[in-house]
Every structure is written in C-alpha cells, then in structure tokens.
C-alpha cells in the first residue's frame, strides 16, 4: 500500500481556525482603538460622575446596602473598575477589577475628580462617609474592554467557522466516522470490511489498519488474562506458553521441599519475622529452580513444589538433586544467620524426590497439573525422621542416575500408601563438589550440575586455563543450559577475565562461544562499561562469527547501541562482504526504530545477486516481523513500507537457492502472510 493519501487536512483546519481567530482579535482591537481613545474614555469618566451622584443620594438616606448593590452592578457592567466606601476612615466595602486595590494607596481628597495616566477616579463626602469610584486608563485595558464588548460578535463568527470546518470534516473524515460507529457497536466485521475498502484519507487508512491490529491484540490479551486469572501458578503459565494443546502428559522428576518443625516455629516465633524468613527462602529457591531449568508449581504453607521435565534435560534427576543441593545451602545460610540472633532457633529443611508422569489439562474449570508423583513425594516426605539436619530422600530406582552428583545409602524399605508394592528409599549422605566431580575426575559433562554463583566462577576459571579446544568448547557448551543469569558482580568480573584470557590466547572459536553464552551467565543489571569493552573487542575481530555474536550480545545488553559503533560495524561488514554481520546490524537498528534507512538496507540485501545476502536479508526481515507483530501489533500492521518489503520476499520463494527459499518462507510465516504472489501483502 502506497502512502499517497493526503495528510495535511488537520493541519490546514487548525491553522485556518487559529489564524482566523487571531486576525479577528487584531481587527477588533485596532478598529476600535481610536474610538476608545477619543470617546470611550470620556464616556467612562462621565459614568464616574453618575455613580457618585447616585451614591450621594443614597448616602444622604443612609442606604449603605442599596449603594453596595448599585456599585456592584456598575462594576459587573464594566461602567467602573473599582470603588471604595469608608466611614470614619474604616472601609465598609470595596471591589477592584485587577484585584490589587492595595496599590491605590493614595490620599483620597473628598469632592473632586482626578485624571491620571494609569487610572481616573472621583470622590464625594457625605457626612462620615467617603465614596471613591474610578476606572483604569491605558492601551491594554482598552484592549481587554474591546474584546469583552465584542465577544458576542466574535463568538458568532467562530461558530460559523466551526460549522464550516465540521462540514469539511464530515466529508473528508467520513471513513473515520464509520470506524467510530463500528467501535461503538463493537462490529469487528465492519472494521475488517473497511480495511479492504478505498479510504478517502491517509489517516483513515492508518486508523483502520491499526484498529484491526489492536482489536486482534486485545482479543489475544483478553484470552490470556482469562487464563491467567484461572491459573496463576508459574508452572501452568509455562505450560500454556509451550504451545502444546492440553490435555497432554510428560515425564518429570518432582521435588517437595518442606520446613522442619514449621507448626511449632509458627506458633512460638514472632509471626512477621518468621514469615520474612520463609519468604526469603522461597524467593531464592524459586530463582534456583529457574536457573536449573525447572518449574515451580505451588507454594503450600511451608512447602515448595517444583519439577524438572525429562525431555528438557539429559539427566533430569541429577539436575533436580543439584537444585536441591543449592536450596539446602540457602537454608543452611539462613540457619546460621537465625541461630546467631538472641532468640535464635534451628531452621532446617527436608526434600523428597520422585520420578513419574504429570498431566496438564482441564480440571475444576481451569487448567491444572495432576499425577501420581504428587502423592508419591508426599509419602516419601513423611518418611523423613531427621529434624535436626537438612535431608533428601528418594526412591532407590533413581540412585543410578544420581551417581554423578551425590553418594547415597538405603535408608528404609516401606509400603507407601497409594503406591503399589514396597519402596526402597535412599537418603543423600554426601553431595559431589565441583572440584572433585569436574576437575579431579575430569568430567566436563558434570559442569551442567553446578550452576550456583561460586560454581559458575569455578567453571569460568577452568575455561580460562590453557587446554584443548575440544575440552574448552564442551565446558562452554555446558553453560548454555543455565536458565537465569547471575546477579553476582563476582561472576561478571570472572566472565570478563575469562574472555580476555581467551583473547590473549587467540582462540577465536572460544571467543565466539563465550559471547554467545554471555546472556546465560551475566544479568542485564550488571552490564557496565567493562562488559561493553569486552563486546567491542569482539566487534573488532576479523572472525565473522565472533563479530556476529558480539553484535547479538551488545543488542541484548544495550538495545540503543551508539550509532557510531553500529556505523563502523556496518562499513566494515560491507567492505568485507560479511552478510551475517550486516543482517545483525539491520536487526539491531530495526528493533530500535524501523525507519526508511533500515528498510532501504534490507531491500538492498534481498535484491543482491549474492544468495548469501538474500538469505541473510530474509532472515533479518523475519526477525523484525516476528518482533513487531508480537510486541507492537499496531506498528506492524500500519507500517506499509515494511509490508512492501515483505512482499518482495514472495518471488524469493522460487529462488534457485534452498537457503534463500527457506529463510523467505520463515519470514513470511512470522508475518502471517496469507496472500499470493501478487505484490501485495495480506496479514492474517
């Protein structure tokens, strides 16, 4: 769709109205100024005399209230601007147009008329009374008076102009009026019909497209809000976002972590401080679960329930126990802090772990998780007798899967209610430490089981050491599974030191890999100048993958990258014909502002004779389409130059190169393309 509709109508109408009003005011002022100077001033001074004569008659009969009414009426009619009545030097009443009667600090001499540059007044004395009445002089006061006197005619003129503008608007904005009617009637079909009709103005076309997009986004948001209202748990939200249609089942390892002696502590300890301790534990435990790629499903009193999907982890049981280890360490830290208080107490936790299937689907009017593993973890938790230490119990069938992360022993064999047969229950006696599991046993695969801040520092320290490229790559790859980055400044500093050590060694592949995992290791809140210098080192590399990953990292931490940096990157990329770097640059700039420069740059790529540039350009267009359609739907729907750019991908679906065809198809899918090869884009 071309931007050929008129867009100056509103500006013209506003300019005409304001100009007409100002010119009318000026005409009223200058056409009446000479009249006011010669005649109006004299007539107002005569009004002073009239009011004083009337006041004399009223005061002779002691009609003070009648005089007050008469003077107030004259003041409202603007026959006089101020008045004052005194009795034996004590003011009885007064009024002043300018509200600064105090500035008229003059000695009022009875029975005379005085004329000045600023004001004129007259006085009379009747017995003990002294009456003062006057008017203000000067050009600006006359202007105000002129405007007030001509206000009626001015209003009539402006009403006529407004009616004329209404007639123009009724004609040129008829589409907008139809849109308003459709909105009031909530007629979605009418809005969609207007979208396909020819619009009289550019504004009507933009509003129609934006309104339809907003309506779609609002509908989606309404459905999402309704789902969240029924299902507020974090795990349910994650399942909804997975894209799978419920009901469905999946295998997982579930954990229940419970506070020992909760009932006793709750009844004996001050409530608010104790609840604050629980809140701190649950908050930090939730962060640990998320970092290990798990899902918190519920908080029940003193208990937190979470699970790890088998399909998302190489060894979900070992990952779950690693999370338990870090959560128990949090509890131990809290225990030390609490016992150091004057009225301290023991703060211990216990955890039960089991493996089984969960069902996600309709339940009790909403969507919920259910499964026998909920019951099994409850039964195992009830078998923990130790109350003076942090304990972990699990069924013996999980013991072989936990050999890399702990040492355990058979604790008891019991018949768990609701579980068929007898169950052998193991207890953790010792956790594996990073130093032994990774360094001494030289098992890089175990890095994934140590995601605490201290363990991350140890892993980064290992990466910085001289070693084979294969071993370093495996260690870095193990860091990709981290769910949430660290907020510890020490981890950030260790990451910077590790990157610089790899740079010093000249390992370009590891440099690129470290740049790609930065977002998994260091939180955005810790981004600073030192981190930027790391990325700038990557931008200056001659290795295309290092530069591309540096741009990705820079965009993640600093979306509004300084234009000078981006311009230098783009110039360098064009000089070296680096299609991937150029595409990343256009993505970065398009995410900040999707302007004509970005559109022109991407159009140049998709029209390139080189298939690598066409493929990368299509990829960049797809990323921008995906972002704006999901994050800013009205912008996406009404950005017609971007629609024209998307339409240029349609012929590329028949490109001779398979990569170009694949990226073009992907981009059009992100844009929800539903048209044919006709040069126009329709968005579903």
């Amino acid at each position: 769709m071309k931007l050929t509709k008129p867009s100056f109508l509103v500006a013209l109408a506003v300019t005409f109205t304001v100009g007409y009003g100002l010119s009318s005011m000026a005409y009223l002022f200058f056409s009446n100024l000479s009249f006011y100077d010669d005649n109006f001033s004299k007539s107002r001074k005569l009004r002073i005399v009239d009011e004083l004569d009337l006041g004399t008659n009223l005061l002779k009969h002691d009609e003070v209230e009648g005089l007050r009414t008469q003077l107030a009426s004259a003041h409202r009619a603007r026959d006089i601007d101020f008045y004052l009545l005194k009795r034996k030097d004590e003011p009885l009443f007064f009024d002043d147009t300018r509200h600064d009667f105090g500035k008229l600090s003059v000695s009022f001499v009875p029975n005379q008329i005085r004329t000045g540059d600023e004001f004129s007044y007259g006085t009379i004395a009747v017995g003990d009374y002294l009456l003062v009445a006057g008017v203000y002089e000067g050009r600006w006061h006359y202007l105000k008076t002129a405007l007030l006197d001509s206000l009626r005619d001015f209003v009539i003129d402006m009403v006529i102009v407004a009616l004329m503008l209404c007639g123009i608007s009724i004609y040129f904005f008829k589409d907008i009026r139809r849109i308003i009617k459709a909105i009031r009637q909530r007629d979605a079909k009418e809005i969609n019909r207007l979208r396909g009709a020819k619009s009289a103005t550019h504004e009507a076309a933009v509003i129609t497209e934006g309104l339809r997009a907003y309506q779609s986004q609002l509908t989606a948001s309404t459905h999402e809000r309704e789902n969240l209202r029924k299902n507020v748990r974090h795990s349910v939200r994650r399942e909804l976002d997975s894209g799978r249609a419920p009901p469905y089942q999946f295998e997982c390892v579930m954990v229940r972590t419970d506070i020992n002696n909760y009932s006793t502590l709750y009844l004996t300890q001050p409530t608010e401080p104790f609840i604050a301790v629980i809140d701190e534990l649950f908050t930090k435990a939730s962060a640990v679960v998320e970092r290990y790629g798990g899902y918190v499903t519920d908080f029940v009193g003193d208990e937190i329930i979470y699970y790890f999907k088998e399909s998302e982890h190489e060894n979900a049981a070992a990952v779950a126990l690693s999370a338990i280890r870090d959560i128990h360490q949090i509890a131990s830290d809290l225990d030390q802090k609490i016992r150091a208080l004057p009225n301290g107490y023991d703060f211990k936790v216990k955890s039960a772990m089991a493996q089984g299937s969960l069902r996600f689907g309709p339940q009790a009017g909403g969507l919920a998780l259910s499964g026998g593993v909920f019951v099994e973890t409850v039964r195992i938790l009830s078998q923990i007798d130790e109350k003076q230490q942090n304990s972990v119990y699990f069924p013996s069938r999980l013991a072989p899967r936990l050999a890399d992360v702990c040492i355990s022993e058979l604790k008891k064999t019991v018949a768990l209610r609701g579980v068929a047969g007898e169950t052998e229950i193991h207890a953790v006696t010792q956790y594996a430490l990073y130093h032994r599991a990774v360094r001494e046993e030289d098992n890089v695969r175990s890095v994934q089981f140590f995601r605490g801040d201290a363990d991350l520092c140890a892993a980064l320290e290992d990466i910085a050491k001289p070693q084979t490229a294969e071993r370093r790559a495996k260690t870095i790859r193990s860091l990709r599974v981290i769910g949430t980055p660290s907020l510890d400044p020490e981890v950030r500093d260790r990451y910077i030191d590790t990157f610089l050590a790899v740079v010093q060694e000249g390992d370009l592949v590891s440099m690129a890999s470290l740049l790609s995992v930065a977002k998994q290791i260091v939180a955005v809140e810790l981004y600073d100048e030192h981190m930027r210098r790391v990325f700038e080192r990557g931008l200056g590399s001659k290795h295309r993958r290092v530069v591309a990953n540096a741009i990705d990292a820079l965009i993640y931490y600093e979306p509004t990258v300084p234009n000078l940096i981006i311009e230098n990157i783009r110039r360098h990329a064009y000089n070296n014909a680096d299609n991937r770097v150029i595409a990343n640059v256009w993505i970065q700039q398009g995410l900040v502002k999707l302007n004509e420069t970005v559109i022109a740059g991407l159009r140049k790529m998709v029209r390139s004779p080189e298939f690598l540039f066409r493929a990368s350009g299509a990829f960049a267009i797809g990323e921008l389409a995906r972002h704006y359609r999901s994050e800013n739907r009205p912008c996406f729907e009404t950005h017609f130059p971007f629609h024209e750019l998307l339409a240029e991908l349609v012929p590329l679906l028949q490109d001779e190169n398979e990569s170009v065809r694949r990226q073009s198809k992907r981009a059009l899918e992100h844009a929800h393309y539903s048209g044919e090869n006709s040069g126009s884009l329709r968005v579903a």
Side-chain angles (χ1 to χ4, degrees):
M1 185 182 294
K2 301 292 184 181
L3 299 180
T4 57
K5 304 298 182 183
S7 59
F8 61 88
L9 187 59
V10 174
L12 179 63
V14 171
T15 302
F16 178 81
T17 304
V18 173
Y20 178 81
L22 292 176
S23 62
S24 298
M25 292 170 61
Y27 172 78
L28 289 172
F29 173 71
F30 288 108
S31 63
N32 290 283
L33 187 59
S34 59
F35 171 78
Y36 289 144
D37 284 343
D38 297 334
N39 300 306
F40 184 73
S41 180
K42 294 178 182 179
S43 65
R44 298 192 80 202
K45 291 174 183 177
L46 291 176
R47 291 298 303 167
I48 296 174
V49 176
D50 293 340
E51 295 300 326
L52 292 177
D53 290 341
L54 183 60
T56 300
N57 295 330
L58 292 173
L59 290 175
K60 285 180 179 180
H61 298 87
D62 217 26
E63 293 286 343
V64 175
E65 289 303 317
L67 178 59
R68 183 200 297 268
T69 302
Q70 173 60 31
L71 292 175
S73 176
H75 184 263
R76 285 193 301 271
R78 297 190 300 278
D79 292 331
I80 57 176
D81 294 327
F82 59 88
Y83 58 87
L84 168 68
L85 180 65
K86 290 185 177 181
R87 184 175 185 180
K88 294 182 180 180
D89 294 330
E90 290 293 327
L92 297 181
F93 56 81
F94 65 91
D95 204 348
D96 179 23
T97 300
R98 295 183 180 177
H99 305 289
D100 57 354
F101 196 91
K103 295 182 180 180
L104 302 176
S105 56
V106 297
S107 300
F108 294 111
V109 180
N111 303 316
Q112 63 176 321
I113 299 292
R114 288 197 173 185
T115 301
D117 294 331
E118 294 185 8
F119 54 87
S120 300
Y121 67 92
T123 60
I124 59 168
V126 180
D128 295 332
Y129 295 103
L130 175 65
L131 175 62
V132 181
V135 296
Y136 287 110
E137 304 285 356
R139 178 180 297 272
W140 293 112
H141 185 72
Y142 286 150
L143 172 61
K144 176 182 176 182
T145 305
L147 293 177
L148 290 174
D149 286 344
S150 304
L151 181 61
R152 179 175 176 274
D153 294 334
F154 179 78
V155 170
I156 292 175
D157 288 343
M158 292 302 296
V159 169
I160 293 174
V161 172
L163 291 175
M164 292 176 61
L165 289 176
C166 286
I168 295 173
S169 300
I170 288 173
Y171 177 77
F172 285 102
F173 288 87
K174 56 184 178 181
D175 295 328
I176 295 179
R177 291 189 295 110
R178 292 167 65 185
I179 294 171
I180 294 174
K181 182 179 179 180
I183 294 174
R184 289 176 176 173
Q185 297 177 354
R186 298 184 180 181
D187 191 347
K189 293 182 179 179
E190 175 66 9
I191 294 174
N192 289 328
R193 191 184 65 79
L194 288 172
R195 181 172 179 262
K198 184 178 180 180
S199 301
T201 62
H202 166 62
E203 288 77 5
V206 171
I207 292 175
T208 303
E209 294 289 341
L211 181 61
R212 193 198 64 81
Y214 176 75
Q215 184 186 35
S216 299
Q217 193 171 28
L218 181 62
T219 301
S221 298
T222 302
H223 291 163
E224 182 181 15
R225 185 170 60 251
E226 183 65 19
N227 286 333
L228 292 178
R229 185 184 67 81
K230 296 178 180 178
N231 309 279
V232 296
R233 293 181 297 278
H234 175 68
S235 59
V236 175
R237 174 63 185 273
R238 296 291 291 269
E239 295 301 332
L240 288 172
D241 292 342
S242 69
R244 297 181 62 184
Y248 57 85
Q249 291 187 342
F250 55 88
E251 296 296 314
C252 73
V253 175
M254 176 167 282
V255 182
R256 287 179 183 265
T257 297
D258 178 89
I259 299 173
N260 289 337
N261 301 317
Y262 172 79
S263 299
T264 302
L265 292 174
Y266 189 87
L267 294 174
T268 58
Q269 299 299 322
T271 302
E272 293 306 319
F274 182 60
I275 294 298
V277 172
I278 296 176
D279 182 64
E280 182 178 355
L281 172 66
F282 284 179
T283 301
K284 292 181 177 180
S286 299
V288 168
V289 171
E290 189 171 355
R291 178 174 290 189
Y292 279 90
Y295 305 89
V296 175
T297 184
D298 223 337
F299 298 98
V300 184
D302 63 331
E303 191 173 77
I304 177 174
I305 309 172
Y306 47 100
Y307 63 88
F308 300 82
K309 290 186 176 182
E310 294 280 8
S311 61
E312 296 179 357
H313 301 276
E314 179 183 342
N315 185 345
V319 172
L321 188 61
S322 300
I324 295 173
R325 177 196 62 220
D326 290 0
I327 292 173
H328 282 202
Q329 183 58 51
I330 293 171
S332 296
D333 295 340
L334 288 172
D335 178 63
Q336 292 182 10
K337 184 170 68 173
I338 293 170
R339 288 199 294 171
L341 299 174
N343 297 319
Y345 52 88
D346 288 339
F347 188 81
K348 307 295 182 182
V349 298
K350 57 181 179 292
S351 297
M353 181 169 61
Q355 193 276 339
S357 62
L358 282 180
R359 174 190 179 274
F360 180 69
Q363 185 173 326
L367 295 173
L369 291 163
S370 59
V373 69
F374 277 104
V375 177
E376 187 175 1
T377 52
V378 171
R379 302 292 184 251
I380 294 175
L381 197 66
S382 66
Q383 297 298 318
I384 301 179
D385 302 320
E386 299 89 346
K387 301 293 185 180
Q388 302 304 315
Q389 64 182 19
N390 298 331
S391 306
V392 184
Y393 278 23
F394 56 87
S396 61
R397 65 179 183 274
L398 292 179
R401 302 175 60 184
L402 301 176
D404 288 340
V405 291
C406 76
I407 299 174
S408 64
E409 64 179 11
L410 179 62
K411 200 69 176 178
K412 58 178 69 174
T413 301
V414 295
L416 300 177
R417 187 159 56 92
V419 179
E422 291 189 334
T423 302
E424 293 183 342
I425 297 178
H426 277 231
V428 174
T429 58
Q430 184 179 349
Y431 292 109
L433 301 178
Y434 180 91
H435 177 76
R436 180 176 179 182
V438 178
R439 293 175 176 171
E440 293 184 3
E441 299 182 6
D442 195 24
N443 187 1
V444 177
R445 188 177 61 83
S446 295
V447 172
Q448 63 178 309
F449 304 132
F450 299 91
R451 306 184 193 181
D453 292 339
D455 294 330
L456 283 180
C457 289
L460 290 169
E461 183 180 342
D462 287 349
I463 294 171
K465 296 176 181 178
Q467 57 193 290
T468 64
E470 182 181 1
R471 190 182 192 282
R472 178 177 282 160
K474 288 182 178 179
T475 306
I476 297 175
R477 197 178 304 121
S478 297
L479 299 178
R480 295 184 186 277
V481 298
I482 297 175
T484 55
S486 173
L487 288 167
D488 188 350
E490 186 177 349
V491 174
R492 176 200 58 197
D493 296 342
R494 181 65 65 182
Y495 172 83
I496 294 173
D497 293 341
T498 300
F499 183 84
L500 295 177
V502 172
V503 171
Q504 187 71 24
E505 191 175 326
D507 187 348
L508 296 176
V509 175
S510 295
M511 285 175 59
S513 298
L514 278 173
L515 288 169
S516 68
V517 299
K519 63 184 70 174
Q520 275 83 33
I521 298 175
V522 182
V524 174
E525 292 83 352
L526 297 179
Y527 180 72
D528 60 2
E529 283 296 323
H530 300 289
M531 286 285 289
R532 178 194 269 191
R533 292 195 192 103
V534 165
F535 300 146
E536 289 177 352
R537 291 288 293 269
L539 296 174
S541 174
K542 296 181 179 180
H543 194 281
R544 57 186 299 178
R545 183 166 169 240
V546 173
V547 176
N549 288 350
I551 294 175
D552 288 340
L554 198 58
I555 292 172
Y556 175 78
Y557 286 99
E558 192 175 354
T560 56
V561 183
N563 290 331
L564 180 61
I565 295 178
I566 292 298
E567 186 61 33
N568 290 336
I569 297 170
R570 188 168 60 203
R571 188 182 302 110
H572 173 79
Y574 272 114
N575 291 338
N576 293 274
D578 195 329
N579 56 288
R580 182 179 174 186
V581 172
I582 295 173
N584 283 354
V585 168
W586 289 130
I587 291 172
Q588 183 275 331
Q589 292 196 308
L591 292 176
V592 175
K593 187 176 183 180
L594 193 57
N595 54 25
E596 286 298 329
T597 303
V598 176
I599 299 296
L602 292 173
R603 183 178 291 111
K604 180 179 179 182
M605 293 192 72
V606 297
R607 292 179 178 179
S608 172
E610 299 291 334
F611 76 89
L612 289 175
F613 276 81
R614 295 198 302 274
S616 295
F619 168 79
I621 293 171
E623 288 298 298
L624 293 175
R626 179 185 58 80
H627 168 79
Y628 279 101
R629 194 176 190 279
S630 61
E631 301 296 332
N632 193 343
R633 187 74 177 272
C635 174
F636 174 77
E637 297 286 2
T638 58
H639 202 301
F640 302 126
F642 188 67
H643 286 191
E644 295 171 6
L645 183 63
L646 282 164
E648 292 200 24
L649 298 181
V650 177
L652 297 183
L653 295 174
Q654 308 300 325
D655 195 273
E656 60 184 11
N657 182 266
E658 193 276 333
S659 178
V660 176
R661 295 195 302 270
R662 185 177 67 254
Q663 293 297 346
S664 298
K665 180 181 179 181
R666 173 181 173 274
L668 293 174
E669 287 174 350
H670 282 322
H672 285 227
Y673 172 80
S674 63
E676 298 178 353
N677 189 359
S678 60
S680 63
L681 184 71
R682 296 196 301 273
V683 180

